[in-house]
Amino acid sequence: GAGVSQSPSNKVTEKGKDVELRCDPISGHTALYWYRQSLGQGLEFLIYFQGNSAPDKSGLPSDRFSAERTGGSVSTLTIQRTQQEDSAVYLCASRSISSGGYNEQFFGPGTRLTVL
Amino acid sequence: QQPVQSPQAVILREGEDAVINCSSSKALYSVHWYRQKHGEAPVFLMILLKGGEQKGHEKISASFNEKKQQSSLYLTASQLSYSGTYFCGTAGPGSARQLTFGSGTQLTVLP
């Protein structure tokens, strides 16, 4: 497809379980971002990948959150021992790095995570 | 630190104008504007860069006051399709590729 895709679209889990959220960025986009959006709130930055550089993990809220990006393309966000406050929509975005590098981010449809 | 957006919500009639403001306490290099409709992903509207460069599309304009660390988004002759939540994302000189988003302005255009 031409856009950013995320899976699953919805995930319901029980407190204490681990979950994995997947993001497929636009082909050729070397920058990839994960955000969290709680109900009625703005976009909270979680983590940023750029090429082969070390990811910027400064937004991860706790050590239960981790993310990796394999082969510079697909990314997986893992939340261990989920808590009810983890319930939110998790958005992935990708961006191309061209001259200047200040280009728009393309967002995926998000994964709605509900922790019971 | 998260930029502050104002107003938090605005309701207007089709054809009316609206201004959404975004203010930061930190020096800015760029300001990005996105619109998100209910249940959908945010969609890019505009980028404003320090020095005056502006990239965007649609019939929406914006300003960027570097000294005041503020940006404003101007929606003229609003259409029903303009309804949604508008977010500004700011980037400073030290982290120019990482955006910090405001909490959003909910815009409702009524017929």
Side-chain angles (χ1 to χ4, degrees), chain A residues 3-17:
Chain A
V4 178
S5 61
Q6 292 185 244
S7 60
S9 56
N10 281 284
K11 176 70 176 180
V12 180
T13 190
E14 293 180 346
K15 179 182 174 181
K17 295 286 181 76

Side-chain angles (χ1 to χ4, degrees), chain A residues 61-111:
Chain A
S62 77
D63 59 6
R64 296 186 296 104
F65 287 74
S66 63
E68 62 178 22
R69 189 177 185 191
T70 55
S73 181
V74 172
S75 177
T76 302
L77 177 69
T78 301
I79 308 173
Q80 296 178 311
R81 305 181 302 281
T82 53
Q83 304 294 313
Q84 289 183 332
E85 60 262 29
D86 298 336
S87 296
V89 175
Y90 289 81
L91 290 161
C92 173
S94 72
R95 182 169 63 86
S96 68
I97 302 296
S98 61
S99 60
Y102 304 108
N103 298 319
E104 63 190 277
Q105 296 183 22
F106 292 84
F107 283 83
T111 293

Side-chain angles (χ1 to χ4, degrees), chain A residues 33-48 56-62 64-65 77 79 85-93 105 107, chain B residues 1-3 36 42 87-89 98-104:
Chain A
Y33 302 78
W34 281 99
Y35 295 92
R36 179 170 68 177
Q37 187 174 33
S38 300
L39 185 63
Q41 299 298 311
L43 301 163
E44 176 188 3
F45 166 78
L46 296 177
I47 189 168
Y48 164 53
D56 179 348
K57 305 179 182 180
S58 59
L60 294 178
S62 77
R64 296 186 296 104
F65 287 74
L77 177 69
I79 308 173
E85 60 262 29
D86 298 336
S87 296
V89 175
Y90 289 81
L91 290 161
C92 173
Q105 296 183 22
F107 283 83
Chain B
Q1 194 167 358
Q2 187 179 39
Q36 184 178 32
F87 293 98
C88 70
Q98 178 184 313
L99 297 179
T100 303
F101 284 92
S103 57

Side-chain angles (χ1 to χ4, degrees), chain B residues 57-88:
Chain B
H57 49 81
E58 294 192 31
K59 297 179 181 178
I60 294 172
S61 62
S63 64
F64 180 19
N65 187 321
E66 298 161 28
K67 285 187 177 180
K68 292 185 177 181
Q69 297 160 189
Q70 294 176 345
S71 177
S72 294
L73 189 71
Y74 303 98
L75 304 163
T76 56
S78 297
Q79 304 172 18
L80 295 177
S81 62
Y82 286 9
S83 292
T85 301
Y86 289 76
F87 293 98
C88 70

Side-chain angles (χ1 to χ4, degrees), chain A residues 102-104, chain B residues 31-32 44-49 53-55:
Chain A
Y102 304 108
N103 298 319
E104 63 190 277
Chain B
V31 180
H32 304 225
F44 168 81
L45 295 175
M46 176 110 25
I47 290 177
L48 300 107
L49 303 177
E53 183 179 355
Q54 179 174 304
K55 299 168 62 175

